Amino acid sequence: MALPMSSRLSLLMAEPVRQLAQSAAAVSQSRDYGIRAERTTEDEVGLLVTAFNEMLASIQDRDLELRKALEAQRDALRRLAKVN
């Protein structure tokens, strides 16, 4: 009886971690910082998922700022090229 219960408990604990790992792999592969992991628990793993999602949001914001700055720099270089 203990073995089936421990197997079930192991699955309940491992599944959220597996889902988080899949989300991390998807972000790493695609570099799509809009991906978010689903928080399914209220324990330490749930806190980890929240921290992971907040980190992705921060990276996504910085990536957008960087893209805007690069585009502004390209525009300035185009204008300088026209002047020359």
Side-chain angles (χ1 to χ4, degrees):
M1 186 166 139
L3 183 60
M5 287 181 68
S6 67
S7 294
R8 176 78 175 135
L9 184 58
S10 177
L11 284 175
L12 287 173
M13 293 173 61
E15 183 60 22
V17 173
R18 187 186 66 73
Q19 289 176 356
L20 179 58
Q22 284 180 331
S23 296
V27 169
S28 180
Q29 183 178 15
S30 68
R31 297 190 185 266
D32 177 1
Y33 303 113
I35 294 173
R36 297 293 183 267
E38 181 182 353
R39 183 174 178 167
T40 59
T41 64
E42 297 299 321
D43 58 4
E44 289 83 0
V45 176
L47 293 174
L48 181 61
V49 169
T50 297
F52 177 77
N53 287 337
E54 289 172 355
M55 178 186 67
L56 287 177
S58 178
I59 293 170
Q60 188 176 28
D61 290 345
R62 288 180 186 178
D63 189 55
L64 180 60
E65 289 174 17
L66 179 59
R67 289 175 191 271
K68 287 179 181 178
L70 287 172
E71 187 57 36
Q73 184 181 34
R74 286 185 189 119
D75 288 344
L77 288 172
R78 284 185 208 113
R79 286 192 302 272
L80 285 173
K82 286 182 182 180
V83 169
N84 282 338

